[in-house]
Amino acid sequence: MENRLWRIIRRPHGTAFEEALELVTEPLPGLATGEILIRNAMLSMDAGTRLWLTARKDGYQPPLPVGAPMTGLVLGEVIESRAEGFAAGDLVRAFGVWGELSQVDAAMSGAVKLDPAVENRRAWFGPLGMNGWTALWGIERTGAAKPGERVLVSAAAGATGILAVQIAKLLGCEAWGIAGGAEKCRFLTEELGIAGAVDYKSGDLAGQLDAAGGFDVYFDNVGGEILDAVLTRMNHYGRIAVCGLLADYGSGKRTAPREFDQVLMRRLRVEGFFSPDFMQEGEALTARLREWVEAGALVMPYDVTRGLDNTLAAYAKLFTGGNIGKVIVELDT
């Protein structure tokens, strides 16, 4: 059996992914004990995987080596199994490869069986997946948001940010978002009904933040200059939950806050968090999120690209602001 997949041929510069990955066809070896073979139906596009394409060895996970297949979350049907607990026909989500098929060790890839009764299977990549877990954990646990507090979320029109602002609102907080462009800000305030949105592309980020007032919790997906601007607008004893550093991933720079002294002056708590650290809580988190989804209280727009050949164009949207909501590549299966 052969597989078409994206392989890393060099480290990318910025968003020039077409120069760094190539689509190849390769034979698959037979399954080893503990492995499953998944026919991928969907590929999840996640900004954090950009760090795996760099040479950084001090990130939250080691970089993928040049020559390796590109890795990411996949959703599909098991077509062959040599792993206990998995059988042909199971719907699963796992860390697989950007390809038509994923041959993975079930345990090492974090493979989980999914309930096929969920009507919109894309939700397993959005509110019922790691984006949902991250949003809920970051707002409620790391950010320790309390009813009545003011919560600000950066990249608020992205997959995790959209869920974070809604969850903050569901937990009784006043939710605000930072996003790029009038249409994204309109979506946040008019479609999701959050308290307000700040357009960082408008040229007056500081003025908009001043007009919005102070914040008790900041859910940070971006880092960089936006973090500096927010640090001076935090309320005393505020919490900053660092989920991502989008400003750093393709720039070769490191977030180094000029306003770091505000951590002391305002007695702030800054804490990073990463979804694999609480994967053991996934079942319980999913159950809570599913209640909101089925009640229509937690929604997600999906930006869907068709075809494995178009994967890199979909991936680039995460870094150019070309999407609202969850970016997914759907394959012809």
Side-chain angles (χ1 to χ4, degrees):
M1 185 177 290
E2 292 188 327
N3 190 20
R4 291 178 71 231
L5 72 154
W6 287 97
R7 189 169 289 283
I8 305 165
I9 56 174
R10 60 179 60 89
R11 302 290 178 198
H13 296 284
T15 58
F17 301 120
E18 69 285 349
E19 298 175 2
L21 294 98
E22 66 175 354
L23 192 58
V24 299
T25 300
E26 299 178 349
L28 281 170
L31 286 188
T33 301
E35 290 187 337
I36 57 176
L37 183 61
I38 305 166
R39 187 181 306 282
N40 295 336
M42 301 180 192
L43 310 178
S44 175
M45 299 289 102
D46 297 290
T49 60
R50 178 64 179 82
L51 195 59
W52 301 345
L53 289 169
T54 71
R56 286 188 60 175
K57 296 182 180 179
D58 61 346
Y60 45 68
Q61 286 190 200
L64 293 170
V66 172
M70 183 57 189
T71 298
L73 276 174
V74 306
L75 182 147
E77 182 180 302
V78 174
I79 57 176
E80 187 180 350
S81 173
R82 292 195 63 195
E84 186 176 349
F86 294 88
D90 287 343
L91 180 68
V92 297
R93 181 183 62 217
F95 279 98
V97 302
W98 286 5
E100 293 174 346
L101 302 165
S102 288
Q103 181 174 331
V104 297
D105 181 283
M108 295 298 293
S109 68
V112 292
K113 290 196 291 186
L114 306 174
D115 183 355
V118 171
E119 185 175 353
N120 187 352
R121 292 185 174 183
R122 294 169 182 166
W124 292 115
F125 275 163
L128 303 184
M130 288 189 181
N131 292 121
W133 297 356
T134 300
L136 178 52
W137 192 275
I139 293 293
E140 187 175 56
R141 301 288 191 93
T142 308
K146 303 175 185 65
E149 289 191 319
R150 308 184 79 240
V151 176
L152 177 66
V153 178
S154 59
T160 301
I162 274 178
L163 297 172
V165 292
Q166 293 178 81
I167 289 169
K169 185 180 174 186
L170 286 165
L171 295 177
C173 301
E174 181 182 318
W176 285 70
I178 300 175
E183 175 55 26
K184 291 183 178 182
C185 290
R186 185 207 64 78
F187 175 84
L188 293 169
T189 55
E190 296 183 16
E191 300 293 327
L192 299 185
I194 68 171
V198 173
D199 180 1
Y200 74 87
K201 290 186 176 179
S202 71
D204 187 25
L205 175 63
Q208 291 179 80
L209 288 172
D210 286 338
F215 296 95
D216 302 295
V217 177
Y218 177 43
F219 186 109
D220 189 13
N221 285 300
V222 176
E225 294 180 1
I226 291 178
L227 175 58
D228 269 320
V230 174
L231 278 168
T232 58
R233 277 86 181 176
M234 292 293 294
N235 291 333
H236 279 64
Y237 308 103
R239 287 83 66 200
I240 298 175
V242 182
C243 172
L245 296 169
L246 188 60
D248 292 15
Y249 293 151
S251 67
K253 299 178 180 178
R254 305 283 185 95
T255 290
R258 293 188 305 273
E259 305 293 349
F260 187 77
D261 66 341
Q262 296 303 302
V263 175
L264 173 60
M265 305 309 173
R266 297 168 191 255
R267 273 78 91 200
L268 306 177
R269 176 168 63 80
V270 182
E271 183 178 346
F273 69 105
F274 182 44
S275 58
D277 294 340
F278 48 86
M279 285 189 73
Q280 74 279 3
E281 302 287 342
E283 187 174 345
L285 293 169
T286 300
R288 290 182 64 196
L289 292 159
R290 188 167 177 176
E291 288 184 5
W292 284 328
V293 169
E294 292 179 348
L298 189 61
V299 300
M300 171 69 84
Y302 297 97
D303 185 311
V304 177
T305 297
R306 300 278 182 180
L308 182 64
D309 300 64
N310 300 316
T311 300
L312 302 188
Y315 191 52
K317 290 181 181 181
L318 302 172
F319 309 99
T320 59
N323 66 291
I324 294 179
K326 181 68 185 179
V327 179
I328 294 174
V329 174
E330 295 190 348
L331 309 185
D332 298 322
T333 59

